[in-house]
Amino acid sequence: NALLERKGDRCALVTTKGFKDLLHIGNQSRPNIFDLEIKCPGVLYEHVVEVDERVALVQDKSARLGGEVVKGVTGEEVEVVTPINLVQLRKDLAECLRNDIKAVAVMLLHSYTFRAHEHAVGELCKEMGFSQISLSSEVMPMVKAVPRGLTSCADAYLSPSIQR
């Protein structure tokens, strides 16, 4: 009921820099592909925090970008192209707390296999006093970022209400 009535807790989405609109855009599936009036469902989060971090899957013949290569939990090689900037992230998350947003959903690219950055974000959020932290790598560790992000947003939005 809380989801249908939009009575969940205020929450923010924390995502990889450059992908703030990913969950709003979604996967572009729609019931009538030729419909000219596309109705996009609203998002559950009200603020987006972009994290300066980037990892990339190492492909057999792809050029490396100069970052450290590590093995992900799925066995894939992952290159840490941009290490996570926790200093800037702390400043950005502080704005959420000032606006009384205490629930966060964290969805970073490739976190289904490389979870270290999401765990670092989760630890920082916990240290700062967020009451609900939903990491996509724990809530729904799957390859596709959109369903992983939507599920972690629903968890962040609804879990506080369910726990009360």
Side-chain angles (χ1 to χ4, degrees), residues 8 42 45-46 55-56 67-68 74 92 111 116 119-120 122 126 136 138 164:
Y45 54 88
E46 60 182 78
V55 299
E68 176 188 8
T74 57
D92 296 340
S111 63
H119 284 231
K126 186 177 179 182
S136 72
E138 292 178 0
R164 283 194 287 270

Side-chain angles (χ1 to χ4, degrees), residues 39 45 72 76 78 84 105 116 137:
K39 296 176 184 101
Y45 54 88
E76 297 170 287
V78 179
I84 192 165
S137 59

Side-chain angles (χ1 to χ4, degrees), residues 101-132:
I101 297 173
K102 294 187 172 57
V104 292
V106 183
M107 191 285 301
L108 303 180
L109 294 185
H110 305 301
S111 63
Y112 68 93
T113 188
F114 182 73
R115 299 175 179 171
H117 283 179
E118 272 200 3
H119 284 231
V121 172
E123 287 300 315
L124 178 61
C125 290
K126 186 177 179 182
E127 175 187 315
M128 292 180 71
F130 284 90
S131 58
Q132 175 64 39

Side-chain angles (χ1 to χ4, degrees), residues 104-107 118 132-136 139 152-153 155-157 159:
V104 292
V106 183
M107 191 285 301
E118 272 200 3
Q132 175 64 39
I133 305 155
S134 300
L135 305 179
S136 72
V139 174
S152 58
C153 283
D155 187 66
Y157 183 74
S159 288

Side-chain angles (χ1 to χ4, degrees), residues 15 23 25 27-28 36 82 90 101 103 108 124 132 157 159:
T15 192
L23 299 186
I25 294 168
N27 58 16
Q28 294 297 299
L36 296 177
T82 306
R90 180 182 292 276
I101 297 173
L108 303 180
L124 178 61
Q132 175 64 39
Y157 183 74
S159 288

Side-chain angles (χ1 to χ4, degrees), residues 13 15-23 50 54 107 109:
L13 170 66
T15 192
T16 302
K17 186 176 183 180
F19 291 86
K20 70 179 182 178
D21 295 323
L22 182 65
L23 299 186
E50 292 184 274
R54 190 62 192 261
M107 191 285 301
L109 294 185

